[in-house]
Amino acid sequence: MRSTMQDVQLTIGSILEHGTNLHGDSEVVTATPDGVRSASYAEVRGQVGRLANALRGLGITGDQRVGTFQWNNTEHLAAYLAIPSMGAVLHTLNIRLFPEQLVYVANHAEDKVVIVDDSLVGLLAPQLGQLDTVEHVIVAGPDAASADLDALRATGKQIHLYDDLLSAQEEDTSWPDVDERDAAAMCYTSGTTGNPKGVVYSHRSAWLHSQMVTTGNVGGMTWEDRVLPIVPMFHANAWGLVYAAMMSGASLCMPDRWLQAEPLVRFIQQSRPTLSGAVPTIWNDVLQYLDAHTDVRLDSIRRILCGGSAVPVSLQKALADRHGLEMRQAWGMTETSPVASAAGVPVGVSGEEQWRYRGGQGRLVCGVQGRITADDGSVLPNDDEAVGEVEVRGPWITGAYYESDDPEVDAKFHDGWLRTGDVGRIDQLGYITLTDRAKDVIKSGGEWISSVDLENALMGHPDVLEAAVVGIPDEKWQERPLASVVLKEGATTTPAELRAHLAKDFAKWQLPDAFAFIDQVPRTSVGKFDKKVLRKEYADGDLDVHTAD
Ligand code: ADP
């Protein structure tokens, strides 16, 4: 029997119309050097129409790709809404990619137009000449006219000022009929191995994912909320927070390029968000700032979503106990749109026991299925004991990469499931606990040692700001853990003391015997610990390694 429901398509255009027509009074607030600028959603709707008309005028048709090289701000929001609604494909370019990766992804996606923030012109200009398919560049932002446009023009591309281009356009535009399974947006993974790989999101996948982000188990968003996506819109869709806000009618607070603790805290005080999302390193910085400025309270925030890498329990507890900030860990990756699980606590669990759940990667959300597989590909039980690679599937999980010629790419999929490259276990209630990235596992004398658990415990030590643990070759045990530790300003400690701290929770054979004190943990283009670099530094003899005895 066929259903009698109407076949209405789930499109970004429908999110645009809902958010800007029914919630026209909600606003987007963007940080500026000396305060904020704001626009109502009704005004954003006008901007979106003009942007779409301008892009048509530059020749964008069909599913051509429009790149964005932008921070989180009003203009990026307009691009998020206009480009998919006109049937074209939004390609968010990660501004932190290495130059050769940026060139690779823009050429691979065949971007025709790039919208760039005034503050990022200097970063784009040196590579622009190599972006072969790009014909037009639109420079956006309050200071676009004073940006170094000559550097862009020198590449032979046509350069336009956003405001000039848009002011010549009508607001009204006719949107084409879009099929919900057509591409709406694409994002490349940061490519820790090989070339970056493109993930193409459909209107339907973005719609379903965003609606899931609004639900109580994740963001719990209503039109009374003000949402602060600190996670960049150029990285994994800002976790769906932008479309989710528009769906809920919630206002948006956009930090633009001011992501350091001090300006961020100031912006939070001015724009008063209720919900925010960012990786742990940002919240760690905010924590240090708040600890040093005890008169500052971020009392508008009711929930922080945090993920992208493991969120230490010590960070969550410190923010909750000392500053009244509740954090909820979420897990996912570019390939999963990205949110696949969120760490709410089961009913009836409280006190110390709740940290077992809040410290893990969370419970699978409805729509995402998860399983664990062994090295030979056999499926292991979700019994919280079996450890293996986590595999997921669902309507917002990618089933392939965009035109990839990487010979290893097929190994990323397994009978219709995505192999996440994350290693851990899943319990009967769908809670995931990760112990490692597949490429980061430490196997010592045949036994696994979890780098994530060691890092979390080290970061719980009062003198430690950050810690990253990698496996280093060992003649007797094949591999042993090496802990690279960043101490807090003015703090001193010794390997023996750190080992004693760890010994409370770990068996003796799991304790690192080698420690390096470093100034900062190397980061990838998306701000995660770059363990490759640490391993190389160790191999090259560049780390000052101390043993515990
Ligand atoms: P890339 O895969 O290019 O590094 P992503 O942002 O897509 O970029 O990274 C996804 C990965 O980040 C996941 O596979 C996982 O290893 C890690 N990750 C994300 N969220 C968490 C979390 N809450 N806890 C631990 N690891 C996480």
Side-chain angles (χ1 to χ4, degrees):
M1 191 164 86
R2 300 284 295 178
S3 144
T4 55
M5 288 301 111
Q6 297 177 6
D7 191 17
V8 174
Q9 302 290 298
L10 307 178
T11 62
I12 303 301
S14 71
I15 301 177
L16 164 72
E17 295 304 341
H18 177 87
T20 57
N21 289 336
L22 276 58
H23 300 280
D25 288 345
S26 294
E27 61 174 356
V28 50
V29 177
T30 299
T32 64
D34 42 21
V36 299
R37 56 192 170 104
S38 52
S40 69
Y41 280 0
E43 287 166 336
V44 170
R45 174 66 182 80
Q47 191 174 345
V48 166
R50 286 196 298 270
L51 177 60
N53 289 333
L55 290 169
R56 286 268 181 259
L58 297 182
I60 290 294
T61 57
D63 62 358
Q64 287 183 330
R65 268 69 69 198
V66 177
T68 56
F69 200 74
Q70 297 181 278
W71 296 109
N72 294 7
N73 51 38
T74 316
E75 291 73 21
H76 208 170
L77 171 65
Y80 254 57
L81 296 166
I83 297 164
S85 299
M86 62 190 282
V89 179
L90 166 78
H91 175 200
T92 52
L93 291 157
N94 182 342
I95 64 160
R96 301 195 183 116
L97 284 181
F98 300 109
E100 60 276 18
Q101 290 183 322
L102 175 70
V103 171
Y104 174 85
V105 302
N107 288 340
H108 190 258
E110 298 176 275
D111 296 341
K112 288 274 176 267
V113 174
V114 174
I115 306 173
V116 58
D117 276 357
D118 46 19
S119 59
L120 295 170
V121 163
L123 200 59
L124 179 67
Q127 274 64 249
L128 182 58
Q130 298 172 65
L131 308 190
D132 299 333
T133 54
V134 173
E135 293 163 11
H136 300 271
V137 175
I138 305 174
V139 185
D143 299 318
S146 50
D148 185 2
L149 303 179
D150 288 341
L152 298 176
R153 288 197 186 102
T155 62
K157 314 280 184 195
Q158 295 195 49
I159 312 301
H160 312 267
L161 291 178
Y162 188 92
D163 287 347
D164 291 355
L165 194 65
L166 267 64
S167 62
Q169 307 293 329
E170 299 286 331
E171 287 188 359
D172 285 340
T173 186
S174 57
W175 302 115
D177 283 336
V178 172
D179 188 300
E180 64 180 24
R181 291 180 196 270
D182 283 346
M186 65 190 306
C187 196
Y188 282 73
T189 65
S190 45
T192 33
T193 53
N195 276 325
K197 292 181 260 302
V199 176
V200 179
Y201 308 102
S202 65
H203 286 259
R204 176 185 151 86
S205 73
W207 206 101
L208 293 171
H209 173 263
S210 305
Q211 191 153 72
M212 173 275 298
V213 169
T214 70
T215 61
N217 291 335
V218 187
M221 247 183 240
T222 73
W223 52 69
E224 290 177 51
D225 275 302
R226 298 175 65 81
V227 179
L228 167 63
I230 303 172
V231 48
M233 290 163 74
F234 57 73
H235 183 219
N237 310 306
W239 302 348
L241 291 170
V242 174
Y243 291 142
M246 291 253 90
M247 277 179 153
S248 313
S251 287
L252 279 162
C253 308
M254 300 293 211
D256 202 272
R257 57 190 179 277
W258 290 282
L259 306 183
Q260 305 73 23
E262 190 182 2
L264 202 51
V265 165
R266 207 178 322 122
F267 181 60
I268 290 173
Q269 289 180 307
Q270 280 178 324
S271 62
R272 300 201 53 77
T274 56
L275 177 72
S276 183
V279 292
T281 42
I282 298 264
W283 297 115
N284 208 3
D285 290 351
V286 169
L287 173 66
Q288 306 311 314
Y289 181 90
L290 293 177
D291 280 350
H293 299 81
T294 44
D295 54 324
V296 176
R297 300 285 299 168
L298 301 183
D299 55 3
S300 63
I301 296 182
R302 62 165 180 82
R303 183 178 294 177
I304 286 170
L305 294 173
C306 193
S309 53
V311 187
V313 166
S314 56
L315 174 66
Q316 299 190 49
K317 281 186 172 170
L319 282 169
D321 298 346
R322 302 209 283 275
H323 305 287
L325 293 169
E326 191 231 290
M327 239 180 189
R328 180 162 296 203
Q329 173 155 204
W331 166 76
M333 57 205 303
T334 303
E335 289 88 335
T336 64
S337 290
V339 180
S341 64
V345 177
V347 175
V349 172
S350 61
E352 226 9 68
E353 203 196 337
Q354 69 179 294
W355 294 105
R356 156 169 147 48
Y357 297 96
R358 295 178 63 179
Q361 279 58 41
R363 199 176 208 174
L364 291 161
V365 294
C366 183
V368 178
Q369 295 167 268
R371 68 181 190 185
I372 298 285
T373 55
D375 285 350
D376 63 4
S378 58
V379 178
L380 300 170
N382 285 359
D383 61 1
D384 206 26
E385 296 214 345
V387 173
E389 182 166 5
V390 177
E391 297 188 347
V392 285
R393 70 172 179 185
W396 55 84
I397 312 289
T398 198
Y401 289 103
Y402 176 64
E403 296 190 353
S404 176
D405 52 7
D406 183 339
E408 286 176 23
V409 109
D410 286 344
K412 288 289 292 178
F413 302 95
H414 178 202
D415 297 341
W417 294 69
L418 171 77
R419 296 181 58 185
T420 64
D422 285 332
V423 172
R425 47 186 207 273
I426 304 181
D427 76 7
Q428 293 91 336
L429 302 179
Y431 282 90
I432 303 172
T433 305
L434 295 185
T435 45
D436 265 302
R437 289 282 268 174
K439 58 182 181 295
D440 290 336
V441 292
I442 305 170
K443 222 165 188 185
S444 181
E447 297 288 340
W448 287 13
I449 299 178
S450 166
S451 64
V452 174
D453 289 349
L454 286 172
E455 286 160 7
N456 275 338
L458 283 166
M459 289 192 264
H461 186 280
D463 289 332
V464 175
L465 184 64
E466 285 177 350
V469 177
V470 297
I472 52 172
D474 182 273
E475 245 173 56
K476 181 162 176 207
W477 303 107
Q478 292 85 48
E479 267 189 327
R480 292 292 303 151
L482 159 73
S484 298
V485 176
V486 182
L487 295 181
K488 289 187 185 157
E489 221 176 293
T492 52
T493 186
T494 61
E497 209 178 296
L498 290 175
R499 264 174 72 95
H501 168 76
L502 292 175
K504 287 182 260 165
D505 298 313
F506 292 86
K508 196 149 177 277
W509 62 270
Q510 295 174 319
L511 302 179
D513 5 58
F515 289 79
F517 294 99
I518 56 176
D519 293 337
Q520 207 207 7
V521 179
R523 301 253 197 276
T524 66
S525 63
V526 294
K528 300 185 193 188
F529 290 176
D530 198 339
K531 297 194 175 180
K532 264 192 332 304
V533 174
L534 281 175
R535 280 191 211 99
K536 180 163 187 318
E537 284 178 358
Y538 174 79
D540 293 348
D542 293 340
L543 285 181
D544 188 12
V545 178
H546 303 262
T547 49
D549 24 57

